[in-house]
Amino acid sequence: MSVVGKEEGEEQQVVNPWEVSAGKGGIDYDKLVDQFGCQRLDDALVARVARLTARPPHRFLRRGLFFAHRDLNEILDLYERGERFYLYTGRGPSSEALHLGHLIPFMFTKYLQDAFKVPLVIQLTDDEKFLWKNLTVEESKRLARENAKDIIACGFDVERTFIFSDFNYVGGAFYENMVKVARCVTYNKVVGIFGFSPEDHIGKISFPPVQAVPSFPSSFPHLFSGNDQLRCLIPCAIDQDPYFRMTRDVAPRIGYQKPSLIESRFFPALQGENTKMSASDPNSAIYVTDSVKEIKTKVNKYAFSGGQDSIELHRKLGANLDVDVPIKYLNFFLEDDNELEHIKKEYKEGRMLTGEVKQRLVAVLSELVARHQRARAQVTEEMVDAFMAVRPLPNMFG
């Protein structure tokens, strides 16, 4: 179980693939990095990515939103030598539509694919959602396909991207790797990593190898045949780290390279970092299906403000940016660094009011969501079939 210890009177911080909770101060990322044993992503690495790709670093990188990594330097070393790697990320399809937090890894992965010109595999863990949620197999598979449409709408290159659902793809070489991993991980080890209890059914306990083996190129013989040592880079939120700590421990024992990771902070719920975005509470998140009116209502009514209770106090004391959700959302989605810094300064010093910040956020999110909806409307069933077809990628490293 990924628990960061608590001081006297402090709530425990729990971070694992199925639960993220923190005390009043929000997630302590420094403690998390120390506990998980990953590395901080420093300015030198960000500058190196920019130099190697000959393009400005993504705002998620330059603003420290992707903040931790495992062996990213090794991926950059081999890329600098003219060697290649592939990307792997995923989605657990438990809702009809994605919210903005779900988009974060796909937006960043799209940037990585474009910048490094490398192939990408995207795993849809419909089996995981069947095991953890009250869903039928058929419903899990349907949601996987619907979520695939939102993922495709992010702009991935069909000639370099393979999207697969576990229910449809697991078998053959993929399954061989699963059982190799499974034989290397004891029951005690998996309980220690994931915090399973004796009441958990064995489907949960047996699932981690399924998420592990897309890290190994031999799991995709139609893509990487004869290239079993190709390195893998995984962009994900840091709550997924336990899966890949396990994977990195096992990989050398079964003759494979350890995957590298680049890991993001969590995207907060509208109500603040101490609450969780939940499908059961549609007002906790902005969804890619929301209308402009719904976005405006949610931001104005539910987005937690760091502003003061009255205009007079606000002019005098300014806003607390550390807890202000509109500022956090602008940090993710407002592209212009100069405008963002201007808003932060004016708001912090009380010259800009909460309503003005929220108004700017509504404009930014409305444009982003409208753009996504237009792209999503263009995604046909035939396009989904093309991305999910088991076939060689014609322009894999093009």
Side-chain angles (χ1 to χ4, degrees), residues 167-217:
F167 276 134
N168 289 336
Y169 185 72
V170 171
F174 194 99
Y175 184 69
E176 288 174 22
N177 280 337
M178 281 170 50
V179 296
K180 287 178 187 176
V181 170
R183 197 168 71 172
C184 290
V185 182
T186 65
Y187 174 77
N188 285 342
K189 181 88 170 176
V190 85
V191 167
I193 294 171
F194 297 101
F196 294 131
S197 72
E199 288 72 38
D200 282 316
H201 58 71
I202 62 173
K204 291 183 178 183
I205 295 156
S206 65
F207 176 75
V210 186
Q211 189 160 323
V213 302
S215 310
F216 307 142

Side-chain angles (χ1 to χ4, degrees), residues 22 32 80 92 120 128 148 168 178 190 204 209 218 245 274 314 318 343 354 364 395:
L32 207 52
E80 195 162 24
L120 161 67
E128 178 198 21
N168 289 336
M178 281 170 50
V190 85
K204 291 183 178 183
S218 63
R245 289 204 306 279
N274 300 321
H314 186 81
I343 290 171
T354 297
V364 169
N395 193 28

Side-chain angles (χ1 to χ4, degrees), residues 87-319:
L87 296 164
Y88 154 41
T89 195
R91 160 84 185 130
S94 59
S95 59
E96 196 78 34
L98 307 189
H99 57 56
L100 294 185
H102 295 143
L103 280 186
I104 300 300
F106 296 110
M107 293 171 75
F108 189 63
T109 302
K110 165 77 165 65
Y111 152 77
L112 291 173
Q113 183 183 61
D114 291 347
F116 289 100
K117 296 182 173 56
V118 290
L120 161 67
V121 296
I122 298 175
Q123 180 181 42
L124 301 173
T125 54
D126 42 9
D127 53 342
E128 178 198 21
K129 293 310 171 185
F130 168 74
L131 292 169
W132 263 267
K133 304 283 186 180
N134 187 25
L135 295 171
T136 63
V137 169
E138 292 72 25
E139 181 67 358
S140 298
K141 292 173 75 171
R142 187 187 71 79
L143 292 175
R145 196 167 173 90
E146 288 304 304
N147 284 191
K149 295 173 185 175
D150 275 320
I151 293 167
I152 292 166
C154 293
F156 292 107
D157 181 351
V158 70
E159 295 191 345
R160 289 203 291 260
T161 306
F162 174 51
I163 301 175
F164 66 99
S165 85
D166 288 342
F167 276 134
N168 289 336
Y169 185 72
V170 171
F174 194 99
Y175 184 69
E176 288 174 22
N177 280 337
M178 281 170 50
V179 296
K180 287 178 187 176
V181 170
R183 197 168 71 172
C184 290
V185 182
T186 65
Y187 174 77
N188 285 342
K189 181 88 170 176
V190 85
V191 167
I193 294 171
F194 297 101
F196 294 131
S197 72
E199 288 72 38
D200 282 316
H201 58 71
I202 62 173
K204 291 183 178 183
I205 295 156
S206 65
F207 176 75
V210 186
Q211 189 160 323
V213 302
S215 310
F216 307 142
S218 63
S219 298
F220 306 101
H222 68 287
L223 300 179
F224 307 124
S225 180
N227 204 352
D228 289 356
Q229 297 304 309
L230 188 69
R231 292 293 295 267
C232 176
L233 175 63
I234 305 169
C236 62
I238 198 167
D239 61 330
Q240 299 300 301
D241 189 86
Y243 279 118
F244 302 113
R245 289 204 306 279
M246 181 196 79
T247 308
R248 285 168 55 85
D249 178 59
V250 169
R253 295 157 62 189
I254 58 176
Y256 296 135
Q257 298 281 348
K258 293 181 179 182
S260 298
L261 281 84
I262 182 164
E263 301 177 313
S264 73
R265 295 171 178 268
F266 301 119
F267 187 73
L270 282 165
Q271 288 81 358
E273 285 195 336
N274 300 321
T275 60
K276 191 177 181 184
M277 283 182 280
S278 169
S280 61
D281 179 8
N283 294 320
S284 66
I286 306 289
Y287 284 82
V288 295
T289 49
D290 284 348
S291 66
V292 172
K293 182 180 178 182
E294 286 170 323
I295 292 170
K296 186 174 183 178
T297 298
K298 287 181 178 182
V299 169
N300 287 331
K301 190 171 181 181
Y302 299 107
F304 187 83
S305 170
Q308 304 300 329
D309 292 338
S310 68
I311 291 177
E312 293 74 23
L313 261 182
H314 186 81
R315 297 289 190 206
K316 181 181 177 183
L317 301 175

Side-chain angles (χ1 to χ4, degrees), residues 11 39 61 114 155 170 241 331-332 338 389 393:
E11 291 179 61
Q39 297 91 44
L61 269 183
D114 291 347
V170 171
D241 189 86
N331 208 31
F332 274 92
N338 292 330
L393 298 176

